[in-house]
């Protein structure tokens, strides 16, 4: 028998052992609530013998008022709950038949003691900001400024986070390459659709936001800026619940959205499903200017583009979790989306030679960009003991992108007479397939020591068929410079181990090491081995946290990270901006490697953070370059030899009155780029800062308002200098009497100041380009949201194996 067959046999036996493991580690679940049906956090919960009220087991309820008892034998019991300031309460008697029973009790209701109501008026809460050993935590549920907002709005107000709604980008303390995950799972959406999803997600469902600028070894090494983990609230009750929302808005054109979310949890199975649809009819205004010297003549072009894109996005997610035994859970998840993007545009381009008007071009564009995605995940989780867990994931993903565009170009001379016309067709199809498997083990040996280890394998295949054709003499002729068929085969193998150790109550240390090995080969029909990478790299991480006293904490960390090109950047494509200006992919793009040092200081709820990042082969998007004959200009992603970033973050809340609270964040960034750009050495140094301030106003119990805004100074993006920008948003929320329904009225970019202006001025490269982009960001939206059914459903939150791979597609 071959070695592979033996390994497969051993693995099959291992899975069978887990699947049929039903030995006794049962669960008794329930919740503790007050007389208004709100959760009672951290209540004492006792499992008592019905016969003599002796204590069998004791646990503490979670901050959501739920409990889970796993230590017991068959018998007759009652549950008792108590907390200072409340009268003790008890459940009805119940029987446990076997030690493998999975039982859920009705809620236990605690009544507050009358004589303490007036005396006790201080409630312990977590601070809005917490500094932990490897991350900064924003406790959204304790932040009044977050009530009634969306998850994206909460993310925008988080310390050091910059959300670029216009370009659908997110950066953290001055660095791009951020990975956004939800409950530890990256959302499988294109970037703009993911931002739309966060913009439609109710912040009341967000428990906390974790800003992990130096992620530990268990996470993939991808993402040089770090990870933003949005943790949603989870509950522990059984039953059925759901919610739906309907929204409409207007800017220059209409906007509509709707969503449905349903969960159903029984003793053994949890079913869930969501469907969301978003329609956005936009009107956009772009301007671009280009100047260069060509054969001793100064050539200038000035283009105005009026665009009419329409976006219809539909996403569906379904799955179930099946409790095989009290130790083992099997989960199946399917997810898919269809994103239809259609646009008509009219471009007016004018040309000058030595400041004399020479000609003009009119360009009419019709473009379609359709993405179809499907994903399946199988997850098996087994508890050897309560704190010893093994997780197995297997994912299959498929993406298909169809992106055709048609251009009609009409050229005129300086007297406005038509001199020529041209028809251009561009086609691009890109199917992508991924298979991902991972195995993760963790064991909390005691309260001071935890060990984690695991491995992951990823296989990726994609093809990218690009064609550019011109209609000449009645025949369509391919442009050989821009037409080709590319194929990529890539696999990544990874393994990691990490140790968490606490030295007393004041000091915590985390150390980890991750190893990743990459094989990546990109070929075309005309050239083999365009990319031929084979390498293995180590990615160490180290954290030290020291609590000085109850109010002061300091922390130091180091990590090494990688920023791999997205598949779209590696897959060449062509978008015509003008007859001489193109946006294109870059098959020669290399991964970037970063070393990151970080120091943090926390005083109560105020945060001060310092970060230094040194990056080799930094990836910079949308950078200008010319064709060899200088007749065409391309904007592509490219590597810069070295990038160094130093940042300082200061975040602090202010309570002005009981009805007016504010949160203020200040970020300062200094960036230096050194690179050989078209055989010219560049050393670009720039500084920038960003100020965020949000004000929460409580009008009454059901009516609240918010005013928030930001100002961003001029900053850099590769060769470009971005001009200052800012935005002011206002919103009102009205909750109905039953608290399950509410209306939100919001105005974004009230003063219409959030427009992107950028300039690339590099005389030694013969480059001068400036852009003005108005994405129609100001809009008025009215949204109605209603929750129905049991509001506390146990929904298992878990990761899949393919989170990083989904980001690279997106």
């Amino acid at each position: 028998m071959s070695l592979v067959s033996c390994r497969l046999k051993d693995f099959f036996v291992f899975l069978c052992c887990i699947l049929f493991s039903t030995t006794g580690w049962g669960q008794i679940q329930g919740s503790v609530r007050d007389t208004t049906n709100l959760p009672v956090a951290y209540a004492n919960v006792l499992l008592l013998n019905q016969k003599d009220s002796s204590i069998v087991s004791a646990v503490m309820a979670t901050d959501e008022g739920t409990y889970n008892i796993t230590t017991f034998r068959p018998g007759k019991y009652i549950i008792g709950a108590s907390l200072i300031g409340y009268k003790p309460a008890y459940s009805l008697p119940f029987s446990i038949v076997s030690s493998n029973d999975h039982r859920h009790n009705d809620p236990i209701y605690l009544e507050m003691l009358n004589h303490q109501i007036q005396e006790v008026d201080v409630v312990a809460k977590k601070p809005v900001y917490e500094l932990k050993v490897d991350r900064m935590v924003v406790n959204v549920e304790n932040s009044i400024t977050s009530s009634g907002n969306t998850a994206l709005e909460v993310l925008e107000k988080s310390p050091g986070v910059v959300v670029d709604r216009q370009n659908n980008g997110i950066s953290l303390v001055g660095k791009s390459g951020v990975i956004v995950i939800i409950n530890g799972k990256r959302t499988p959406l294109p970037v703009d659709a993911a931002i739309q999803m966060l913009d439609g997600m109710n912040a009341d469902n967000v428990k906390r936001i974790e800003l992990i600028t130096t992620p530990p070894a268990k996470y993939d090494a991808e993402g040089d800026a770090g990870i933003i983990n949005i943790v949603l609230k989870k509950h522990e009750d059984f039953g059925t619940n759901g919610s739906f929302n309907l929204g409409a808005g207007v800017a220059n054109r209409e906007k509509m959205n709707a969503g449905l979310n349903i969960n159903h949890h029984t003793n053994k199975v949890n079913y869930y499903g969501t469907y969301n649809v978003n329609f956005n009819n936009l009107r956009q205004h772009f301007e671009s200017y280009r100047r260069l010297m060509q054969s001793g003549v100064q050539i200038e072009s000035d283009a105005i583009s009026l665009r009419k894109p329409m976006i219809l996005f539909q996403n569906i997610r379904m799955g179930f979790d099946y409790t095989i035994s009290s130790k083992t859970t099997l989960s199946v998840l399917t997810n898919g989306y269809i994103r239809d993007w259609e646009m008509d545009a009219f471009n007016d381009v004018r040309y000058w030679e030595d400041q004399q008007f020479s000609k003009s071009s009119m360009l009419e564009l019709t473009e379609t960009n359709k993405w179809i995605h499907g994903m399946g995940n199988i997850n098996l989780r087994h508890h050897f003991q309560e704190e010893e867990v093994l997780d197995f994931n297997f994912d299959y993903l498929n993406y298909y992108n169809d992106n055709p565009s048609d251009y009609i170009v009409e050229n005129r001379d300086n007297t406005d007479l038509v001199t020529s016309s041209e028809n251009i067709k561009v086609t691009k199809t890109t199917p992508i397939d991924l298979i991902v498997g991972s195995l993760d083990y963790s064991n909390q040996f005691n309260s001071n020591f935890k060990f984690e280890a695991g491995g992951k394998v990823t296989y990726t295949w994609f093809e990218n068929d690009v064609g550019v054709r011109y209609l000449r003499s009645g025949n369509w002729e391919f442009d050989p410079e821009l037409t080709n068929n590319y194929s990529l085969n890539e696999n990544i193998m990874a393994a990691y181990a990490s140790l968490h150790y606490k030295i007393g109550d004041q000091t915590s240390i985390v150390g980890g090491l991750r190893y990743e090995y990459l094989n990546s080969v990109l070929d075309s029909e005309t050239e083999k081995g365009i990319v031929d990478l084979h390498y293995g790299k180590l990615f160490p991480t180290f954290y030290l946290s020291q609590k000085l006293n109850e109010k002061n904490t300091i922390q130091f960390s180091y990590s090494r990270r990688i920023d791999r090109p997205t598949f779209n950047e590696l897959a060449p494509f062509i978008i015509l901006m003008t007859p001489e200006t193109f946006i294109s992919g870059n098959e020669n793009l290399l991964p970037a490697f970063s070393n990151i040092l970080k120091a943090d200081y926390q005083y109560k709820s105020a945060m001060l953070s310092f970060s230094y990042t040194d990056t080799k082969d930094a990836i910079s998007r949308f950078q200008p370059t010319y064709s060899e004959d200088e007749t065409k200009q391309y904007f592509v992603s490219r590597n810069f030899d070295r990038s160094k970033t130093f940042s300082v973050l200061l975040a602090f809340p202010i309570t002005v009155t009981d009805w007016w609270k504010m949160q203020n964040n200040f970020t300062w960034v200094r960036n230096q780029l050194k690179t050989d750009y078209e055989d010219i050495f560049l050393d670009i140094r720039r500084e920038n800062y960003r100020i965020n301030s949000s004000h929460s106003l409580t009008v009454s119990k059901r009516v609240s308002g918010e005013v928030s805004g930001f100002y961003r100074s001029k900053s850099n993006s590769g060769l470009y200098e971005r001009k200052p920008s800012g935005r002011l948003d206002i919103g009102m929320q009205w909750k109905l009497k039953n608290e399950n329904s509410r209306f939100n009225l919001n105005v974004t970019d009230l003063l219409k100041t959030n427009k992107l202006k950028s300039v690339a001025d590099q005389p030694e490269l013969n480059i001068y380009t400036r852009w003005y982009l108005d994405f129609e960001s100001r809009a008025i939206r009215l949204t109605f949201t209603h929750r129905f059914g049991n509001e506390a459903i146990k929904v298992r939150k878990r990761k899949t194996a393919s989170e990083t791979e989904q980001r690279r597609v997106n």
Side-chain angles (χ1 to χ4, degrees):
M1 184 178 293
S2 69
L3 179 61
V4 174
S5 299
C6 291
R7 294 299 185 190
L8 289 175
K9 181 180 178 181
D10 292 343
F11 182 67
F12 177 75
V13 171
F14 165 74
L15 287 182
C16 290
C17 291
I18 292 180
L19 285 171
F20 295 102
S21 173
T22 56
T23 56
W25 184 58
Q27 298 183 66
I28 302 174
Q29 295 178 305
S31 62
V32 183
R33 298 175 177 272
D34 62 19
T35 53
T36 64
N37 204 35
L38 293 176
V40 177
Y42 311 118
N44 299 307
V45 179
L46 303 177
L47 179 64
L48 306 173
N49 267 317
Q50 181 186 356
K51 181 178 180 180
D52 56 9
S53 296
S54 61
I55 298 176
V56 177
S57 183
V59 298
M60 179 178 290
T62 67
D63 56 355
E64 295 167 359
T66 61
Y67 63 84
N68 184 25
I69 300 173
T70 59
T71 304
F72 56 84
R73 295 179 179 179
K76 295 182 179 181
Y77 299 101
I78 58 175
I79 297 288
S82 63
L83 186 67
I84 295 176
Y86 293 88
K87 296 178 181 179
Y90 300 90
S91 71
L92 295 175
F94 59 92
S95 297
I96 296 294
V97 178
S98 74
S99 57
N100 193 46
D101 272 4
H102 188 118
R103 177 182 174 82
H104 188 274
N105 286 332
D106 292 332
I108 298 176
Y109 294 96
L110 297 182
E111 181 181 352
M112 186 173 287
L113 292 171
N114 293 329
H115 70 275
Q116 291 194 7
I117 291 179
Q118 296 178 349
E119 298 174 6
V120 180
D121 55 3
V122 178
V123 179
K125 284 188 176 182
K126 293 182 180 179
V128 175
Y129 297 102
E130 282 187 289
L131 189 61
K132 294 195 173 181
V133 65
D134 60 353
R135 68 199 65 192
M136 180 190 294
V137 178
V138 183
N139 290 303
V140 177
E141 61 182 350
N142 292 330
S143 172
I144 298 177
T145 61
S146 301
S147 179
N149 297 329
T150 68
L152 187 65
E153 289 169 328
V154 173
L155 185 59
E156 284 182 300
K157 299 164 190 173
S158 299
V161 177
V162 175
V163 177
D164 188 346
R165 292 175 181 255
Q166 293 178 333
N167 295 290
N168 295 311
I170 300 175
S171 65
L172 183 58
V173 289
K175 296 179 290 182
S176 58
V178 172
I179 297 175
V180 177
I181 60 179
I182 298 178
N183 288 320
K185 177 186 181 303
R186 186 163 305 117
T187 173
L189 303 176
V191 174
D192 54 350
I195 289 180
Q196 289 178 15
M197 182 196 69
L198 292 174
D199 198 22
M201 181 184 294
N202 187 350
D204 290 341
N205 293 327
V206 178
K207 181 179 179 66
R208 64 181 183 272
I209 294 176
E210 298 177 344
L211 307 177
I212 315 173
T213 52
T214 49
K218 65 177 290 186
Y219 292 99
D220 287 331
E222 178 129 9
D224 65 331
I227 295 173
I228 298 175
N229 184 24
I230 300 175
V231 181
L232 303 180
K233 295 178 181 178
K234 63 180 181 178
H235 308 283
E236 302 293 336
D237 285 352
F238 291 86
T240 302
N241 81 346
S243 65
F244 68 85
N245 63 80
L246 297 171
V250 63
N252 290 323
R253 290 294 186 270
E254 69 278 5
K255 302 156 193 315
M256 292 173 285
N257 65 277
L260 176 65
N261 175 15
I262 295 178
N263 296 285
H264 178 67
H265 191 196
T266 63
N267 282 340
K268 291 285 187 180
V269 187
N270 172 45
Y271 303 95
Y272 54 89
T274 61
Y275 172 76
N276 294 281
V277 59
N278 189 299
F279 175 76
N280 201 355
N281 192 351
L282 297 166
R283 293 295 182 268
Q284 299 174 340
H285 180 92
F286 292 177
E287 295 180 12
S288 64
Y289 172 81
R290 180 170 68 107
R291 182 178 71 227
L292 76 155
M293 296 299 296
Q294 193 176 77
S295 302
V297 179
Q298 179 176 282
I299 305 296
E300 298 174 272
S301 65
D302 198 349
I304 297 176
S305 179
L306 303 177
R307 299 155 55 96
K308 301 177 181 179
M310 289 192 300
I311 304 171
L312 178 63
F313 179 80
Q314 301 177 78
N315 173 243
I316 188 169
R317 181 176 183 268
M318 297 182 298
F320 69 87
D321 303 322
Y322 177 68
T323 303
I324 299 173
S325 72
S326 59
K327 291 186 176 183
T328 308
T329 304
L330 174 68
S331 301
V332 175
L333 170 67
T334 60
N335 188 89
Y337 67 75
I338 299 176
R339 181 179 182 270
D340 289 295
W341 187 91
E342 297 180 357
M343 182 185 72
D344 293 326
F346 179 79
N347 294 351
D348 183 4
V349 189
R350 299 183 178 274
Y351 303 87
W352 289 264
E353 295 183 4
D354 286 334
Q355 301 183 349
Q356 298 295 317
F357 177 68
S358 58
K359 61 180 180 178
S360 65
S361 295
M362 306 294 178
L363 188 149
E364 294 184 27
L365 164 65
T366 301
E367 182 180 357
T368 300
N369 193 346
K370 186 168 188 174
W371 278 92
I372 301 175
H373 165 62
M375 186 269 283
N377 164 261
I378 297 176
N379 170 262
L380 191 65
R381 171 174 287 187
H382 179 73
H383 289 257
F384 298 101
Q385 299 177 26
E386 187 168 358
E387 297 294 340
E388 186 180 8
V389 182
L390 187 68
D391 247 329
F392 170 74
N393 277 283
F394 178 82
D395 292 13
Y396 171 73
L397 305 94
N398 174 263
Y399 295 83
Y400 183 80
N401 177 228
D402 187 15
N403 184 202
S405 53
D406 296 301
Y407 302 83
I408 300 176
V409 183
E410 186 178 78
N411 300 310
R412 299 171 181 263
D413 62 18
N414 57 2
T415 65
D416 207 31
L417 292 177
V418 177
T419 58
S420 64
S421 61
E422 194 169 36
N423 286 13
I424 307 172
K425 284 185 178 291
V426 178
T427 58
K428 184 180 87 75
T429 57
T430 309
I432 306 173
D433 293 279
L434 300 98
I435 293 177
V436 187
S438 67
L439 190 66
D440 298 279
Y441 170 83
S442 66
N443 191 357
Q444 183 83 47
F445 290 95
N446 53 52
S447 60
N448 294 327
F449 182 66
K450 181 180 180 181
F451 173 75
E452 295 178 308
K456 179 178 176 180
V457 179
T458 303
Y459 293 95
T460 305
W461 307 266
F462 84 63
E463 292 186 1
N464 190 65
D465 192 354
V466 180
V468 179
R469 294 179 292 168
Y470 298 88
L471 183 62
R472 292 169 180 163
S473 302
N475 297 316
W476 288 101
E477 298 180 6
F478 281 99
D479 184 335
E481 182 182 347
L482 303 176
T483 300
N484 216 326
N485 189 6
Y486 299 83
S487 62
L488 174 80
N489 287 277
E490 179 182 280
N491 67 79
I492 302 174
M493 292 171 284
Y496 74 90
S498 66
L499 301 174
H500 304 244
Y501 186 66
K502 291 182 66 176
I503 305 174
D505 296 331
Q506 307 297 321
T507 307
S508 297
I509 298 175
V510 179
L513 187 63
R514 186 179 185 90
Y515 177 78
E516 295 190 358
Y517 188 85
L518 170 76
N519 290 292
S520 183
V521 178
L522 178 68
D523 298 324
S524 73
E525 291 182 343
T526 58
E527 184 180 358
K528 302 299 182 182
I530 299 173
V531 174
D532 192 357
L533 297 176
H534 309 275
Y535 62 81
K537 298 291 183 180
L538 288 171
F539 299 93
T541 56
F542 176 78
Y543 309 86
L544 172 63
S545 180
Q546 179 68 44
K547 191 172 183 180
L548 304 178
N549 51 48
E550 289 299 321
K551 297 180 181 180
N552 295 272
T553 302
I554 57 173
Q555 175 183 305
F556 301 95
S557 65
Y558 164 78
S559 67
R560 189 166 190 253
R561 306 288 294 168
I562 183 173
D563 185 13
R564 293 190 178 92
T566 67
F567 294 128
N568 288 344
E569 289 172 319
L570 289 173
F573 61 91
I574 293 293
I575 297 176
L576 274 72
M577 301 297 291
T578 73
E580 300 84 18
T581 307
F582 305 85
I583 299 175
S584 177
N586 181 7
E587 65 272 20
N588 297 309
L589 207 57
L590 297 173
F593 293 90
S594 299
N595 290 290
I596 305 169
L597 291 170
K598 194 167 179 288
D600 304 294
Y601 170 69
Q602 178 183 7
Y603 174 73
K604 294 183 178 179
S605 294
M607 309 291 300
L608 180 63
S609 178
F610 302 89
S611 177
Y612 174 76
T613 303
D614 187 353
T615 304
K616 180 182 178 182
D617 294 325
I619 298 175
S620 189
R621 276 81 183 178
F622 205 67
Q623 299 302 307
T625 187
Y626 288 110
S627 60
E628 291 185 4
D629 58 5
E630 295 188 337
T631 59
K632 298 176 182 177
Q633 187 176 40
Y634 298 94
F635 294 93
V636 300
S637 296
R638 64 181 298 155
N639 294 109
F640 281 37
D641 295 339
R642 183 73 67 177
S643 172
K644 296 181 180 180
T645 302
F646 178 74
S647 65
V648 179
L649 164 67
L650 175 64
F652 56 95
I654 298 177
T655 299
V656 183
T657 67
D658 291 339
W659 54 269
W660 179 10
K661 301 180 186 297
M662 68 171 69
Q663 174 62 45
N664 305 285
N665 301 323
F666 175 81
T667 307
W668 178 84
V669 178
R670 185 180 187 274
N671 182 260
Q672 180 181 16
L673 291 174
K674 290 184 177 182
T675 191
D676 186 348
Y677 199 104
E678 310 293 348
D679 297 325
I680 300 293
F681 179 75
L682 298 178
D683 187 349
I684 303 173
R685 307 184 185 196
R686 294 193 181 114
E687 299 176 358
N688 69 86
Y689 63 89
R690 178 185 171 104
I691 301 173
N692 290 65
S693 185
S694 63
H695 304 254
S696 178
L697 309 172
T698 303
V699 180
S700 67
K701 182 179 179 180
R702 297 193 181 96
V703 180
S704 60
E706 181 168 292
V707 179
S708 63
F710 73 85
Y711 174 80
R712 180 172 54 209
S713 71
K714 66 180 181 181
S715 59
N716 72 294
S717 177
L719 298 187
Y720 283 95
E721 179 183 87
R722 290 186 175 180
K723 300 302 181 181
S725 63
R727 194 180 77 208
L728 178 66
D729 300 341
I730 61 173
M732 293 291 295
Q733 180 186 96
W734 176 42
K735 292 183 179 180
L736 302 187
K737 188 175 182 179
N738 60 13
E739 296 286 337
N740 289 328
S741 302
R742 68 166 175 242
F743 288 93
N744 279 79
L745 179 64
N746 293 289
V747 181
T748 58
D749 196 11
L750 178 66
L751 303 179
K752 200 91 168 67
T753 54
N754 195 23
K755 301 173 183 178
L756 179 61
K757 301 176 183 178
S758 58
V759 176
D761 185 6
Q762 300 293 335
E764 61 272 34
L765 295 172
N766 196 21
I767 291 176
Y768 182 88
T769 302
R770 67 172 181 257
W771 292 87
Y772 167 85
L773 306 176
D774 182 1
F775 286 84
E776 192 195 52
S777 56
R778 180 170 61 188
I780 301 174
R781 292 182 175 89
L782 178 64
T783 303
F784 172 73
T785 303
H786 177 72
R787 300 191 301 269
F788 58 86
N790 187 346
E791 296 181 13
I793 302 299
K794 182 183 178 182
V795 181
R796 184 181 169 211
K797 309 300 183 183
R798 60 182 178 84
K799 298 190 296 181
T800 66
S802 56
E803 297 160 7
T804 298
E805 290 68 31
Q806 294 172 27
R807 172 184 177 268
R808 293 186 67 200
V809 172
N810 299 334

